[in-house]
Structure formats: structure tokens, C-alpha cells
């Protein structure tokens, strides 16, 4: 990945931060954006480019891409879990925000990135979707709908941008050990009246491997998808999730 110019959205922490570090380790020039300025400290310390940017805000996204001096790889990673609860109790404003960050954000960043990728003679886009982008996910309708949308965007843009040498793939992480999953488990426990331990055991039972994944394992797949080794891989949706068989936890 030497000298590749890479943007990772929502890259201040979690999976995005692992992706940013993996690209940098391979010699890439990494620019990290995050809506939370406080999350960008470690990226600044390592000398990465940084921008405070809400990917759901068209003005923020335009400013981010205007600052770049070229681009080879875009990783649309920024995402939020959205509300947990039955569909008839979902607040329309929370629906809108979940779709805005997880789906519209990827559209806005891709729209701004494509002229730069064309200018570089081609490149790669990886969308961080979810197993909720290929399976139903009870009590998480806004998130599942947004991630299915992101998979649809991936398949469509692989066709539309293939002739320009721009490859577009999605990576579907399974539940990742970490802070975000703790929040997801706590919200689901509160919504269903079960204990967090029960909900956690349900998540572990969903996968063939019976294990959570690590951010580094997801990052390795993303870097490979953007490398010359994956030169003929586009339009694919790669689960890095121990094979999620279902998203039912009961
Ligand atoms: P995280 O909450 O740990 O980190 C997400 C980062 O994105 C944070 O730094 C946050 O400030 C930033 N962010 C949030 N909204 C933003 C916005 N509007 N604009 C820019 N930045 C924003 O989450 P994570 O677990 O690292 O998740 C990363 C991606 O992986 C998301 O798209 C998520 O849906 C997906 N995913 C995560 C899991 C999991 O178990 N953690 C599973 C499947 C898919």
C-alpha cells in the first residue's frame, strides 16, 4: 500500500482506527475523519491527516475532500447503531439519523471521492456494512435497512465505476469485541428485559465460530481488498464475522 492515499471515515476509534493503522503500517498516507474531534488525538499524534467531519453533512464532506491532494482508497466506515426497539416505537428522527450516517454518509463521501479516484486512474472503495446488511435484524429496523442500502450501493457502484478502474466492495463485520458492542448489548437487554450476559451469549451463538471478531481482523480484510492481490475483486460482500447464521438472539 506504499504511498497510497487513503481516507477512513469515522476513523478516530473502533474498527475505523484499526483500519487506519493497518494502512499506515503498510506505508499508506492516511487521512482520518471523525465527527468527534476528541477521537482524533491518536491519529494526530501519529501524523495522519485529520478532519472533523460529519459524513451526513454535505458541507462537511465537501470541505473534507477539498483538502485532499489526491485519493486512491476510500473506506466508508462511519456508522451508528441507531435505536433498539419495535418498529412502531422507532422515533422518525432517529430513523432519519441512522440512515443519514450509515447510508447517505457513504453516498456523500463516494460522490466527492469519485472525481479524485478517476484522477488517480482508478482506486478502491470499501464500505463497512454489517451482517445486518444481508440478514434481518429484529428490533434494529433502521440499522438493518441502512446497511442493506449500503450493500445495494456497493453492488451498483461496482458496475457503474468498474469501467473507470474503481473497485467497490463491502466488508461485513460480525459483532466486534469492544465498547460499541457493549452499548448494543446493553440496549438490547433493556429493550427485551433479559440480562446483558444472556444477550451476549445469544450473539456468540449466532456465528459458526462462536466468537466475536477483532478490529484488526476486519482491517486486514479491508487492506487486502484494496491491494493489488485483489485487483479482480469487485462488487463483493465479504463477511468477516465467523459466519453469522442469524441475527436472532432469542
Ligand atoms: P465505534 O462507535 O466504535 O466508532 C465509530 C466512529 O465513527 C466513532 O469514532 C464516531 O465518533 C464516528 N462517527 C459516528 N458518526 C459519525 C459521523 N456522522 N461522521 C463521522 N464520524 C462518525 O463503531 P465501530 O464498532 O468501530 O463501527 C464502525 C463501523 O462498523 C460502523 O459502520 C458499524 O456499523 C460497523 N459494524 C460494527 C460492528 C461492531 O460489532 N462493532 C458490527 C458490524 C458492523
Amino acid at each position: 500500500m506504499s504511498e497510497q492515499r487513503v481516507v477512513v471515515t469515522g476513523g478516530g476509534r473502533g474498527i475505523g482506527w484499526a483500519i487506519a493503522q493497518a494502512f499506515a503500517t503498510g506505508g499508506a498516507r492516511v487521512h482520518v475523519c471523525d465527527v468527534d474531534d476528541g477521537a482524533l488525538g491518536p491519529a494526530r499524534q501519529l501524523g495522519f491527516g485529520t478532519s472533523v467531519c460529519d459524513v451526513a453533512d454535505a458541507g462537511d464532506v465537501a470541505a473534507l475532500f477539498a483538502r485532499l491532494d489526491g485519493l486512491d482508497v476510500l473506506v466508508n466506515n462511519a456508522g451508528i447503531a441507531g435505536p433498539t426497539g419495535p418498529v412502531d416505537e422507532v422515533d422518525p428522527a432517529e430513523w432519519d439519523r441512522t440512515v443519514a450516517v450509515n447510508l447517505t454518509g457513504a453516498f456523500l463521501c463516494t460522490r466527492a471521492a469519485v472525481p479524485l479516484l478517476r484522477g488517480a486512474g482508478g482506486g478502491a472503495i470499501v464500505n463497512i456494512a454489517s451482517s445486518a446488511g444481508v440478514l434481518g435484524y429484529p428490533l434494529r429496523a433502521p440499522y438493518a435497512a441502512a446497511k442493506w442500502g449500503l450493500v445495494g450501493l456497493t453492488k451498483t457502484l461496482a458496475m457503474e465505476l468498474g469501467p473507470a478502474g474503481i473497485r467497490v466492495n463491502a466488508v461485513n463485520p460480525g459483532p466486534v469485541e469492544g465498547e460499541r458492542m457493549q452499548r448494543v448489548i446493553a440496549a438490547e437487554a433493556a429493550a427485551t428485559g433479559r440480562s446483558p450476559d444472556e444477550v451476549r451469549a445469544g450473539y456468540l451463538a449466532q456465528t459458526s465460530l462462536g466468537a466475536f471478531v477483532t478490529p484488526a481482523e476486519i482491517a486486514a480484510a479491508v487492506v487486502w481488498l484494496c491491494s493489488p492481490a485483489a485487483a479482480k475483486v469487485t462488487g463483493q460482500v465479504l463477511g468477516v464475522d465467523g459466519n453469522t447464521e442469524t441475527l436472532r438472539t432469542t
Side-chain angles (χ1 to χ4, degrees):
M1 301 311 297
S2 189
E3 295 303 314
Q4 294 279 292
R5 296 154 298 180
V6 178
V7 166
V8 183
T9 69
R13 60 170 77 84
I15 296 169
W17 177 232
I19 294 170
Q21 288 177 290
F23 273 110
T25 300
R29 285 155 54 195
V30 181
H31 191 108
V32 169
C33 92
D34 205 289
V35 72
D36 178 5
D37 182 49
L40 289 170
R44 289 194 183 108
Q45 271 177 1
L46 291 183
F48 296 177
T50 59
S51 295
V52 178
C53 168
D54 177 352
V55 295
D57 183 301
D60 275 11
V61 170
L64 162 66
F65 285 87
R67 289 186 59 197
L68 305 178
D69 62 359
L71 187 69
D72 301 292
V73 171
L74 169 65
V75 183
N76 284 312
N77 165 78
I80 56 172
T84 301
V87 69
D88 47 324
E89 291 175 17
V90 170
D91 178 343
E94 287 198 272
W95 169 282
D96 284 348
R97 182 66 185 162
T98 309
V99 173
V101 177
N102 290 295
L103 179 56
T104 310
F107 156 67
L108 290 172
C109 290
T110 300
R111 184 175 175 277
V114 163
L116 296 173
L117 295 172
R118 284 189 196 278
I125 298 173
V126 177
N127 295 321
I128 306 301
S130 167
S131 30
V134 290
L135 294 168
Y137 195 2
L139 304 181
R140 294 283 296 283
Y143 184 76
K147 293 297 191 182
W148 276 77
L150 192 53
V151 169
L153 192 66
T154 303
K155 295 273 182 191
T156 298
L157 295 183
M159 295 170 70
E160 192 175 314
L161 300 174
I166 301 170
R167 299 183 298 105
V168 188
N169 292 288
V171 166
N172 288 353
V176 171
E177 200 68 74
E179 205 186 303
R180 183 178 187 276
M181 213 43 218
Q182 282 169 16
R183 291 197 301 269
V184 166
I185 288 170
E188 195 168 321
T192 59
R194 289 178 301 146
S195 73
D197 282 351
E198 264 180 281
V199 175
R200 185 185 165 83
Y203 272 102
L204 284 170
Q206 289 171 347
T207 69
S208 305
L209 293 182
F212 286 178
V213 297
T214 67
E217 287 165 336
I218 295 158
V222 173
V223 170
W224 174 75
L225 277 171
C226 298
S227 74
K232 298 289 156 44
V233 181
T234 194
Q236 303 305 303
V237 182
L238 176 63
V240 183
D241 62 348
N243 188 37
T244 303
E245 299 166 7
T246 174
L247 284 171
R248 275 197 190 285
T249 54
T250 52

